[in-house]
Amino acid sequence: MDRTKHLLRLQDWDAQRILETINIAIRLKEEVKSNLYSNRFAGRTIGMFFEKPSLRTITTFQVGMHQLGGMPILLDPKSIGINQRESVQDIALCLSRWVNGLVVRCFKQSLVEQLAEHGNVPVINALSDDYHPCQALALGQTMIELYGTDLRGKTIAFIGDGNNVANSLMVLAAKLGMNFTLACPKGFEQKNEEIQVCQPDFKKNGGKYRVFNNPKDAVADADILYSDTWVSMGQEGQKDEKKTHFLPFQINDELLKLAPSHCKVTHCLPANRGEEITDSIMNNLQINLCYEEAENRLHAQKAVLCQLLH
Ligand code: CP
Ligand code: NVA
């Protein structure tokens, strides 16, 4: 399988392609602001199925495909019955005969991998237990809009669980020469294999990976503080236990005071106000970029569609 024909993990795309995609996203954003819509995907369709809930991803892929002149089709995973009603292989082979691409949110990363392996159309990972590449591209766009094209030497400090979003942001940082800092309670770090995969890129591009178990140590040199839920979709059973560990890992005014004065905050959303981030930070739109990043999901994903659908 040629992994560059899909977006299964950001790791599969090189820095040049990531930057090119972000440039397309910035151009598409300007076009939308000028009410310019293209017809490049006229007659084209993407099939979308989401095993987990979504507001941003499900809306932006549908709006984005429509703005490009194509049509999204929302499929119900329960109705499809993956591995119950039929095999992933047969689902991929049939869908490939009808749609020009697939956008899939799932639990196991292996599902997007298998759909790509067995089908003949591009597969886009719209979040799995392991990765969220579309979120990372939207952050890349947001940071380039803020700091300019060369992000080398910038530092993303992720305050929270070493989860799917953290994994994809770490890859973004490694590929673009940024530093990635994780602050989490002991035992909630990213898997060592995920970190090791990024090390050659950190080394080559001049960035570094660090992990702290005290959030105060992590923010001193940050350009962006990143927040996400402590309890990801599918982990609801661990909610009470996780909350006790994560209480000190809240982004609030006190923590922000320890960061450089130019430092901004963002969140992939949905946010649990009062838990991983306070109302005070969420409502401070001078420093909180999360709604800009949410808007950029639309543009970044349209750019991904332009890169993959032919
Ligand atoms: N950030 C994000 O992916 O949001 P949704 O879960 O609402 O799609
Ligand atoms: N880490 C979160 C991201 C939500 C967009 C989750 O997987 O639920």
Side-chain angles (χ1 to χ4, degrees):
M1 173 184 29
D2 178 353
R3 302 186 67 89
T4 64
K5 292 193 183 318
H6 306 274
L7 180 56
L8 303 174
R9 322 173 295 183
L10 198 58
Q11 188 63 39
D12 300 328
W13 286 20
D14 62 20
Q16 193 188 338
R17 192 156 203 228
I18 291 171
L19 288 171
E20 188 183 79
T21 306
I22 293 172
N23 282 337
I24 297 170
I26 290 170
R27 184 165 44 74
L28 290 170
K29 185 175 184 177
E30 281 162 13
E31 286 180 11
V32 168
K33 304 272 181 219
S34 314
N35 268 323
L36 289 173
Y37 299 100
S38 101
N39 231 9
R40 69 180 281 165
F41 290 148
R44 244 77 69 80
T45 307
I46 50 167
M48 300 175 49
F49 62 90
F50 281 51
E51 293 184 333
K52 298 177 178 178
S54 172
L55 169 67
R56 279 145 290 274
T57 315
I58 205 162
T59 307
T60 48
F61 267 112
Q62 291 183 89
V63 171
M65 191 61 185
H66 177 69
Q67 287 181 354
L68 292 166
M71 184 169 157
I73 309 240
L74 210 48
L75 303 159
D76 175 8
K78 282 204 195 90
S79 167
I80 299 174
I82 302 155
N83 282 329
Q84 286 167 349
R85 194 161 177 267
E86 58 189 317
S87 66
V88 179
Q89 184 171 9
D90 285 338
I91 292 166
L93 287 169
C94 287
L95 282 171
S96 296
R97 300 282 177 129
W98 307 317
V99 300
N100 303 98
L102 288 173
V103 173
V104 178
R105 171 168 285 193
C106 53
F107 291 89
K108 291 191 161 67
Q109 175 70 14
S110 59
L111 179 59
V112 283
E113 301 280 341
Q114 286 171 26
L115 287 166
E117 188 72 49
H118 294 302
N120 302 304
V121 292
V123 177
I124 298 169
N125 180 349
L127 179 146
S128 68
D129 286 347
D130 297 334
Y131 306 110
H132 199 358
C134 297
Q135 192 74 50
L137 289 170
L139 176 67
Q141 180 182 350
T142 310
M143 288 187 72
I144 283 178
E145 288 170 346
L146 182 68
Y147 291 122
T149 314
D150 188 357
L151 294 178
R152 282 177 299 178
K154 299 286 179 216
T155 299
I156 301 170
F158 188 101
I159 313 297
D161 192 23
N163 64 15
N164 45 6
V165 175
N167 284 343
S168 290
L169 299 191
M170 173 177 65
V171 174
L172 178 84
K175 299 249 175 194
L176 300 189
M178 293 191 271
N179 306 308
F180 183 85
T181 306
L182 177 74
C184 69
K186 268 199 171 49
F188 294 94
E189 295 85 1
Q190 292 156 279
K191 282 190 195 142
N192 193 38
E193 67 210 53
E194 300 293 348
I195 301 164
Q196 290 317 314
V197 164
C198 289
Q199 286 301 359
D201 279 323
F202 276 121
K203 212 168 173 185
K204 183 174 94 190
N205 301 320
K208 59 180 186 291
Y209 177 86
R210 288 171 305 168
V211 58
F212 295 100
N213 296 125
N214 181 343
K216 292 182 180 158
D217 297 334
V219 302
D221 60 354
D223 297 289
I224 292 277
L225 301 188
Y226 207 97
S227 183
D228 185 13
T229 181
W230 296 328
V231 184
S232 286
M233 293 178 277
Q235 301 180 338
E236 289 76 10
Q238 301 168 38
K239 197 170 175 173
D240 292 341
E241 195 230 326
K242 276 192 117 174
K243 268 192 187 173
T244 56
H245 292 286
F246 276 93
L247 280 175
F249 293 81
Q250 181 187 65
I251 298 188
N252 52 34
D253 290 311
E254 199 189 325
L255 186 67
L256 188 64
K257 275 195 199 123
L258 303 175
S261 58
H262 70 273
C263 180
K264 304 284 184 191
V265 177
T266 187
H267 191 304
C268 77
L269 302 175
N272 302 285
R273 287 167 173 246
E275 293 185 12
E276 71 272 6
I277 192 161
T278 56
D279 268 327
S280 164
I281 300 278
M282 282 297 284
N283 295 340
N284 183 349
L285 298 188
Q286 299 302 311
I287 55 150
N288 178 12
L289 304 176
C290 76
Y291 305 111
E292 196 64 28
E293 186 178 329
E295 179 187 332
N296 286 342
R297 296 292 306 279
L298 171 65
H299 311 296
Q301 287 158 200
K302 283 171 72 180
V304 169
L305 291 169
C306 290
Q307 294 280 39
L308 295 178
L309 261 63
H310 297 293

